[in-house]
Amino acid sequence: MDLETFQWLLTDDGQALLAEATTLVADGASPLSAGSALRRTTTGERAAAALGQVELRQRAVAKFGELAARMYFTPDALEQATRQRVADHRAGRAAAFGARTLVDLGCGIGGDLLAASRVGIICAGVDLDPVRVAMAEANLAAAGLPGAVQVADATTVDHRAFDLAFADPARRSGAGRSFRVDDWTPPWTWVEGLLRRDACVKVAPGIPHDLVPDGVEAEWVSDDGEVKEAALWSGRTATVARRATVIREGGLATLTEEDDPGADAVGTRAVGAFLYEPDGAVIRAGLVTAVAAGVHGGLVDPKIAYLTSDDAFRTPFARAYRVVEELPYREKQLRAALRERGVGRITLKKRGVEVSPEALRKRLDLRGDAEATVVLTRVAGEGTALLVDPLG
């Protein structure tokens, strides 16, 4: 969608067309029939733009909740946008740091601007894409929030007057999403320069630890068990080296290397009464042994992110399972053991072993009435199958 079409979509006629498109889709019309109906009163380009926004708003509910129905998106900008709960957490950190003003260098459709403005920070955003800038402005207005946006090259903006600089480099190349920092826009060299001041930079959760500059805090964030991103905090905003933050419906919890006694203190041990599967943010942050210490347990293997303990704990940083028994690891014997127990539906979890759960499930060909969860992993270097019951 070009800028002219989007600006028309904001007019009274455009809003009426968008409302009509929303109603058609809600009533179950197919894209073809909805497009035909809209083209009776408008151009094909405008009809496609309206239907495109309806589809993107539906997809955006997972990130923005009820507000998504009033927001505007491009496909790429929606994919890159931060989930509202994650953005709200980051904005809360910025406010706690004492930031009164923030500049978003590459604001996209304004998701992070919305979060920062909600906590009372005076915000400004820039982006090279005029359509995204116009959408960011419209999204701020839709939420009833203040903020200024303009078209500009983030790498040329003088950001020194702002308390905090935020950036979310685009991680795409001509071939699609890229995990190479050399493909980022703005490039990694610019990011390194920005991190010499009070700043926060959103990065991919797979960022290598050795790429994080000295003195910069790396925070990995998961939302409802899914690792969504990492954020690099620099200058006075950095309080530790590594942090895992877990966000769930009931709130959030955070863990840092200061909570970690280290692998030597935790050690490895035989499988006890309970097995713990650390949250992905904990694993990415390298804080598995911190969780082990918290559940009074140890590692099942020095290189595997499963923990075990004789005690039952509820922790936001790991999912807990009661260990029912150890089953044969070899496929033929495992099949026999599961059939003997009447298992027909199975959840297979694996870590550290070369097994395809989907392929194995088909080969096991189970037909009983019972349901079971089986963990395939290594314990002290040996392949092991554990029959477990999830807690909670």
Side-chain angles (χ1 to χ4, degrees):
M1 179 165 47
D2 59 29
L3 181 60
E4 181 180 356
T5 301
F6 177 67
Q7 289 174 332
W8 179 85
L9 204 60
L10 297 178
T11 66
D12 290 344
D13 289 342
Q15 291 295 290
L17 184 70
L18 188 53
E20 183 182 357
T22 302
T23 299
L24 286 168
V25 172
D27 289 344
S30 69
L32 183 61
S33 62
S36 296
L38 295 179
R39 285 193 296 274
R40 296 191 188 107
T41 58
T42 191
T43 66
E45 184 178 18
R46 289 174 175 175
L51 284 173
Q53 285 306 303
V54 173
E55 178 192 356
L56 290 170
R57 284 175 169 182
Q58 291 175 333
R59 287 164 48 190
V61 170
K63 287 190 172 184
F64 293 97
E66 294 180 357
L67 182 60
R70 306 197 305 276
M71 294 179 67
Y72 300 91
F73 307 94
T74 69
D76 286 349
L78 174 57
E79 181 181 348
Q80 188 177 354
T82 307
R83 281 195 182 194
Q84 181 174 317
R85 291 201 306 200
V86 178
D88 286 344
H89 159 64
R90 183 162 46 238
R93 278 199 65 169
F97 160 69
R100 295 167 297 173
T101 59
L102 176 147
V103 60
D104 188 337
L105 302 167
C107 64
I109 51 89
D112 286 283
L113 284 176
L114 292 171
S117 186
R118 266 193 297 269
V119 297
I121 298 175
I122 299 171
C123 300
V126 301
D127 201 284
L128 273 174
D129 186 337
V131 174
R132 292 190 183 192
V133 168
M135 287 183 174
E137 186 174 36
N139 289 337
L140 283 165
L145 294 169
V149 290
Q150 69 177 50
V151 178
D153 183 344
T155 64
T156 66
V157 170
D158 184 355
H159 46 73
R160 291 174 296 179
F162 293 87
D163 295 335
L164 188 67
F166 173 74
D168 179 6
R171 295 176 288 279
R172 304 187 70 86
S173 66
R177 181 180 293 186
S178 174
F179 297 98
R180 298 176 64 251
V181 295
D182 293 341
D183 293 332
W184 291 5
T185 305
W188 177 249
T189 51
W190 178 84
V191 170
E192 289 180 305
L194 189 67
L195 291 173
R196 296 189 185 103
R197 58 154 294 168
D198 296 335
C200 177
V201 178
K202 174 182 169 182
V203 295
I207 186 171
H209 286 211
D210 59 8
L211 193 63
V212 179
D214 291 341
V216 171
E217 174 187 330
E219 178 187 25
W220 283 265
V221 181
S222 71
D223 185 18
D224 271 343
E226 295 182 55
V227 185
K228 290 303 176 184
E229 65 177 62
L232 304 181
W233 297 87
S234 64
R236 292 171 295 169
T237 71
T239 58
V240 293
R242 290 172 290 124
R243 181 186 301 273
T245 296
V246 175
I247 303 174
R248 297 193 182 274
E249 192 66 37
L252 65 82
T254 191
L255 195 68
T256 77
E257 82 273 8
E258 294 177 350
D259 303 300
D260 189 2
D264 290 341
V266 170
T268 59
R269 51 157 293 175
V271 175
F274 298 92
L275 189 75
Y276 293 87
E277 180 182 23
D279 184 89
V282 170
I283 296 172
R284 295 280 191 176
L287 295 172
V288 170
T289 49
V291 179
V295 299
H296 301 169
L299 302 167
V300 300
D301 186 279
K303 296 182 179 180
I304 302 294
Y306 275 129
L307 312 170
T308 188
S309 172
D310 291 323
D311 301 317
F313 283 90
R314 290 191 179 275
T315 170
F317 303 113
R319 186 165 189 193
Y321 302 86
R322 182 174 63 85
V323 178
V324 178
E325 61 180 313
E326 182 175 343
L327 298 177
Y329 182 71
R330 293 183 179 275
E331 187 174 314
K332 183 177 180 180
Q333 288 85 350
L334 177 61
R335 181 191 302 113
L338 291 170
R339 286 180 174 177
E340 181 182 346
R341 289 157 179 77
V343 173
R345 299 180 306 279
I346 186 172
T347 299
L348 286 171
K349 305 182 73 66
K350 67 106 175 181
R351 185 163 289 166
V353 293
E354 294 298 325
V355 175
S356 166
E358 291 183 4
L360 177 59
R361 188 181 294 107
K362 290 180 181 179
R363 293 197 303 270
L364 290 173
D365 191 26
L366 302 172
R367 302 180 185 182
D369 296 326
E371 187 171 354
T373 299
V374 174
V375 174
L376 303 172
T377 190
R378 291 200 314 268
V379 174
E382 297 293 328
T384 303
L386 299 171
L387 180 65
V388 300
D389 281 340
L391 298 182

